[in-house]
Amino acid sequence: MASPRFLTLADVAEVLNTSSAQVYALVRRGDLPAIKIGGRGQWRVEGSELEKYIERMYDETKTFVSSHPFVESDAARDDG
């Protein structure tokens, strides 16, 4: 069975393992493209846009990790 083309914010939250409120914030900031449909203005995120967002976050994380190398003192600080 094929995945639906559009996802609700709750669906996106489940995929990203976060809250619907966090997904709403991503949409409202323009970080995650979405459309508003219907008289009540329900938000929908296209599956392909969600995949692009995830890839972009991997790229941004890779850049962050490259420019902020891990050192053992970081691990000790996080444990404490």
Side-chain angles (χ1 to χ4, degrees):
M1 183 173 174
S3 299
R5 180 174 177 181
F6 290 97
L7 304 166
T8 65
L9 297 188
D11 293 336
V12 173
E14 187 174 330
V15 170
L16 296 177
N17 196 28
T18 190
S19 68
S20 293
Q22 179 63 38
V23 174
Y24 178 75
L26 291 171
V27 168
R28 292 293 288 147
R29 282 195 311 258
D31 295 337
L32 178 59
I35 60 171
K36 222 173 163 184
I37 61 168
R40 296 189 333 204
Q42 297 177 354
W43 290 99
R44 294 294 183 269
V45 176
E46 192 164 6
S48 62
E49 291 296 336
L50 176 57
E51 291 304 318
K52 288 178 194 174
Y53 172 79
I54 292 169
E55 286 301 316
R56 199 167 61 249
M57 291 303 99
Y58 272 118
D59 291 343
E60 287 182 19
T61 300
K62 185 177 180 180
T63 300
F64 174 83
V65 169
S66 294
S67 61
H68 298 86
F70 176 79
V71 292
E72 287 299 320
S73 63
D74 290 343
R77 195 176 14 218
D78 289 343
D79 289 340

